[in-house]
């Protein structure tokens, strides 16, 4: 009986080994499936949109005479405004154009002024002067647009003025024109300010 049991155990072990070999062979014959790579989309956080707008008016190459020769640099004139009554002019120099523009933007934001706007135009005619340049500004009716050019137009548009007449007199330098426009806008007065200075009511002054 012991020999018969031993023979049966050997037969069972042989059949199990054969089955395992067949299973391994079938598994090796099956083509391996490649897993699909999932794309992980990373959404970058949106940068907040600034209300300030910068406009480069002029980039000029300037030289400075030093002991060893001439030093080359760039000068940038930039107008900064939010089209809501605030505008500024910046001027800066640097050895690279990008650095000069960045410094001019920072300088323009330091020199912001408030512009009194009356029905998309200015309250009254005015003339501004800076150096050898002068700019004449006149109010305009609805639908006229900004009648100006060069640096004067950039200053008026970024200030938020939609209808105005202007004429640049004297120097044609963009920096002088921009500064003269800033002086003119800085000197504007509203009807309330004039009535308060005169010590009368606004209705009496307008009548």
């Amino acid at each position: 009986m012991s020999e018969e049991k031993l023979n049966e155990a050997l037969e069972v072990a042989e059949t199990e080994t054969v089955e395992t070999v067949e299973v391994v062979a079938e598994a090796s014959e099956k083509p391996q499936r490649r897993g699909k790579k999932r794309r992980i989309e990373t959404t970058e956080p949106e940068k907040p949109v600034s209300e300030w707008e910068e406009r480069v008016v002029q980039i000029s190459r300037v030289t400075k005479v030093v002991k060893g020769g001439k030093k080359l640099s760039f000068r940038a004139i930039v107008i900064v405004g939010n089209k809501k009554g605030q505008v500024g002019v910046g001027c800066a120099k640097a050895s690279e154009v990008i650095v000069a523009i960045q410094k001019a933007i920072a300088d323009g934001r330091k020199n912001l002024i408030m512009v009194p706007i009356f029905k998309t135009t200015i309250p009254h005619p005015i003339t501004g002067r800076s150096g050898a340049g002068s700019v004449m500004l006149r109010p305009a009716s609805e639908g006229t647009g900004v009648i100006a050019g060069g640096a004067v137009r950039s200053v008026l548009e970024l200030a938020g003025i939609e209808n105005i007449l202007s004429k640049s007199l004297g120097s044609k330098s963009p920096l002088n024109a921009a500064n003269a426009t800033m002086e003119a806008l800085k000197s504007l007065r509203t009807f309330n300010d004039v009535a308060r200075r005169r010590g009368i009511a606004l209705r009496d002054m307008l009548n």
Side-chain angles (χ1 to χ4, degrees), residues 47-62:
K47 296 181 180 179
V49 180
S50 176
E51 64 175 356
W52 297 97
E53 184 177 344
E54 299 90 12
R55 193 173 297 180
V56 180
V57 174
Q58 186 188 44
I59 297 175
S60 58
R61 188 175 63 180
V62 295

Side-chain angles (χ1 to χ4, degrees), residues 22-166:
E22 290 179 355
V23 170
V24 171
E26 289 178 357
S28 61
E29 289 177 359
K30 289 183 181 179
Q32 295 180 356
R33 294 182 181 179
R34 295 181 179 178
K36 294 182 180 179
K37 295 181 179 179
R38 295 181 180 179
R39 292 182 180 179
I40 302 173
E41 296 181 357
T42 56
T43 57
E44 296 181 357
E46 295 182 357
K47 296 181 180 179
V49 180
S50 176
E51 64 175 356
W52 297 97
E53 184 177 344
E54 299 90 12
R55 193 173 297 180
V56 180
V57 174
Q58 186 188 44
I59 297 175
S60 58
R61 188 175 63 180
V62 295
T63 55
K64 180 181 179 181
V65 179
V66 294
K67 186 176 180 181
K70 292 183 179 181
K71 183 181 178 182
L72 178 66
S73 59
F74 296 93
R75 186 186 72 173
I77 303 172
V78 181
I79 313 297
V80 182
N82 60 355
K83 294 185 178 181
K84 295 179 182 179
Q86 286 184 303
V87 67
V89 177
C91 180
K93 297 177 184 178
S95 58
E96 296 182 4
V97 177
I98 298 176
V99 179
I101 293 174
Q102 292 175 351
K103 291 172 66 176
I105 291 172
D107 184 51
R109 292 189 177 182
K110 291 179 184 178
N111 303 320
L112 292 174
I113 63 169
M114 288 295 299
V115 181
I117 300 175
F118 178 73
K119 294 182 179 179
T120 70
T121 187
I122 56 177
H124 56 85
I126 196 167
T127 302
R129 293 179 177 84
S130 176
S134 62
V135 175
M136 180 178 61
L137 303 178
R138 295 289 182 269
S141 59
E142 189 73 26
T144 304
V146 179
I147 308 301
V152 181
R153 185 182 187 89
S154 299
V155 174
L156 296 175
E157 285 181 349
L158 292 182
I161 300 172
E162 299 178 4
N163 302 289
I164 194 171
L165 301 172
S166 69

